[in-house]
Amino acid sequence: MAVRITPDQIRELEGSEVAAHQRDLDALGVRLADRGVDADSVISEVQRFSVAAPSWALGTGGTRFGRFPGGGEPRTTEEKLDDIAALHALTGANATVSLHVPWDDPDDPAALRGYAEELGIAFDAMNSNTFQDNPSTTGSGVSYKFGSLAHSDPDVRKRALEHNRAVIDLGVELGSNALTVWLADGTNHPGQADFRRQFERVADGLRELHDALPPGWELLVEHKPYEPAFYSTVNADWGSSLLLAQHAGERTRCLVDLGHHLPNANIEQVVSRLAMVGRLGGFHFNDSKYGDDDLTVGSIHPYQFFLIVRELVEHGEGAMPSVRYMIDASHNLKDPVEDLVQGTDQIQCTIAQALLVDRAALREAQDANDPALAEELLHDAFRSDVRPIVAEARRRNGAALSPLTTFRRTGYRTMVTAARGDDAVSTGL
Ligand code: LRH
Ligand code: MN
């Protein structure tokens, strides 16, 4: 019997918090009104937002140096949906899941779809996997050791295309309408492969995939500078990704994983460029200090994340544009659900802060070449404590004022660990 977190349970657990919350909210409402901001419009915009949970991040992540499972991990895709339903009950902002095949390989897609619908969870972009050899994706005699769509062997490329088409077919059965393709393809040694021929093979493969898309579907290409390839990666940066998207076709856009940029890259400018040419397809939100660390969203560079979300609000003319928002994180030390709760809360807070930027005054300061004033306008928003607004948006969505504390009060992890076992291990990273 799956463990559920209900709105009634949340209201009961948080009953004693409502009065203080209302006082904080009223006080903030007055301060914002003084700045000409209508708190209710910010609250409804935060209410409207949802970010997909990654199915591959409901278990404990690890590195080549070790993995420390916390127990009670979801053993099936259904149990991952149970955990995402618990997450969504607390945040009101994780109404979709992004599956990764073959880490998720349902025997009965129709049954899985029905299970998800009962939980109120829908399927966002599907992810293919041609970066690991797996009987179900490679079959015998084929390996992705030296790449997939970039491989010099046409049989390997053919196999990789077949896998991607199979993921699309599964997505159609589940009600998804997008495929994300991240390729590990690259080299570890100078001279190992020809950059141009590798790139052209991938470009042609993605065009073939694009042309095979069902009606209403889109293709997302995800760039990454290195890992697992450590000398060159075919789709290494936003420029390569844009070239691949333009070559593949109109329904191909670029997915920006925040951890897939070299140190000090100006990610907010990358977002602005891709949005400007209509090729910004979506995000994998996370944070990182050094490499693709997949840490909790906004936990290392909260101001950079604010500047990225502000670019989105600018592109959306005062609202979050309709691109695909997904979290892609790996939890080596934290409870996976708690990490996703914190990440989602951070995204909600950052959206509220970005909505507080006085866009007209900023435009004036920019046109007047007044960098100090421009920065003051950004800081006014970034330094605003918007937590009462975000808590209220969750409360109006029937979710929690304090999702992390309330998650712990429900005893959810203890109950699922009792049901699933200490040694229950999830598929994924
Ligand atoms: C690659 C990546 C990609 C996924 C994988 C789980 O680093 O970001 O989005 O396929 O992580
Ligand atoms: Mn990613």
Side-chain angles (χ1 to χ4, degrees), residues 13 26 119 169 171 240 350 363 387:
L13 287 168
D26 296 344
L119 292 173
D169 296 344
S240 303
T350 308
R363 178 76 180 258
R387 290 175 292 181

Side-chain angles (χ1 to χ4, degrees), residues 8 17 85 125 127 149 186 199 207 240 287 334 411 413:
D8 291 347
E17 290 176 46
N127 295 268
L149 294 183
F199 193 86
R207 175 178 285 179
S240 303
D287 209 338
K334 290 181 182 177
R413 182 59 67 194

Side-chain angles (χ1 to χ4, degrees), residues 278-296:
R279 293 285 180 163
L280 179 65
F283 288 87
H284 278 177
F285 287 144
N286 48 52
D287 209 338
S288 45
K289 177 97 176 129
Y290 303 104
D292 186 20
D293 309 339
D294 282 340
L295 298 173
T296 318

Side-chain angles (χ1 to χ4, degrees), residues 165-279:
R165 276 198 284 272
V167 175
I168 292 173
D169 296 344
L170 171 60
V172 169
E173 292 187 80
L174 295 172
S176 171
N177 61 4
L179 172 70
T180 297
V181 176
W182 168 67
L183 299 172
D185 296 33
T187 67
N188 274 11
H189 311 285
Q192 175 187 333
D194 180 81
F195 296 142
R196 180 169 178 165
R197 285 203 296 278
Q198 275 195 320
F199 193 86
E200 287 169 343
R201 289 193 286 259
V202 167
D204 293 344
L206 291 172
R207 175 178 285 179
E208 219 176 304
L209 263 183
H210 172 272
D211 297 348
L213 286 176
W217 270 64
E218 69 173 339
L219 184 59
L220 297 165
V221 288
E222 180 180 359
H223 59 272
K224 182 176 180 178
Y226 71 95
E227 188 206 37
F230 292 110
Y231 170 62
S232 72
T233 296
V234 176
N235 189 7
D237 52 38
W238 74 274
S240 303
S241 210
L242 181 57
L243 287 173
L244 290 172
Q246 290 168 333
H247 180 86
E250 276 310 306
R251 290 191 281 155
T252 310
R253 298 195 288 169
C254 303
L255 182 141
V256 178
D257 185 313
L258 302 188
H260 292 184
H261 300 85
L262 296 174
N264 307 322
N266 188 325
I267 305 174
E268 54 270 29
Q269 189 178 37
V270 170
V271 169
S272 171
R273 293 277 185 278
L274 292 172
M276 179 181 71
V277 294
R279 293 285 180 163

Side-chain angles (χ1 to χ4, degrees), residues 99-120:
L99 294 189
H100 214 301
V101 181
W103 296 337
D104 303 298
D105 207 0
D107 312 329
D108 182 346
L112 182 67
R113 183 172 183 166
Y115 191 86
E117 273 160 9
E118 259 170 55
L119 292 173

